[in-house]
Amino acid sequence: MFRREAVPFSFVAEADAFRSNVTPPPRERPTRSQLLGRAMIGLTIVGGLVGSLLLGMPALESDQAPTHSQKSEASQGR
């Protein structure tokens, strides 16, 4: 017939014996409520990311001049 090569794991070599020609049943289609729930979860996640980006952008801006400067005592020339 055909020659089998040595395989270190016996379950890999025996995998051909357990193959089946039976097709699995078709997947169930999601209902409207499931689709709506998935859409709402997706919109919530996207809205949270956009909101955090909008709230976080002012904190990341560095082009503003500092309103106060700190001077050490050594620079005052005592």
Side-chain angles (χ1 to χ4, degrees):
M1 286 224 222
F2 56 91
R3 184 178 147 215
R4 285 191 182 249
E5 296 181 16
V7 179
F9 300 104
S10 63
F11 64 87
V12 175
E14 295 173 358
D16 293 334
F18 297 107
R19 297 202 180 191
S20 174
N21 61 355
V22 177
T23 58
R27 298 179 75 181
E28 292 183 17
R29 296 185 64 148
T31 63
R32 287 184 183 175
S33 61
Q34 288 175 336
L35 290 175
L36 183 64
R38 292 176 187 174
M40 293 298 288
I41 290 173
L43 287 174
T44 303
I45 292 172
V46 170
L49 291 174
V50 169
S52 65
L53 185 64
L54 289 175
L55 292 174
M57 286 301 288
L60 296 175
E61 291 179 3
S62 63
D63 59 347
Q64 298 174 353
T67 57
H68 66 283
S69 62
Q70 294 180 352
K71 293 183 181 178
S72 66
E73 293 179 6
S75 67
Q76 294 177 359
R78 320 202 258 159

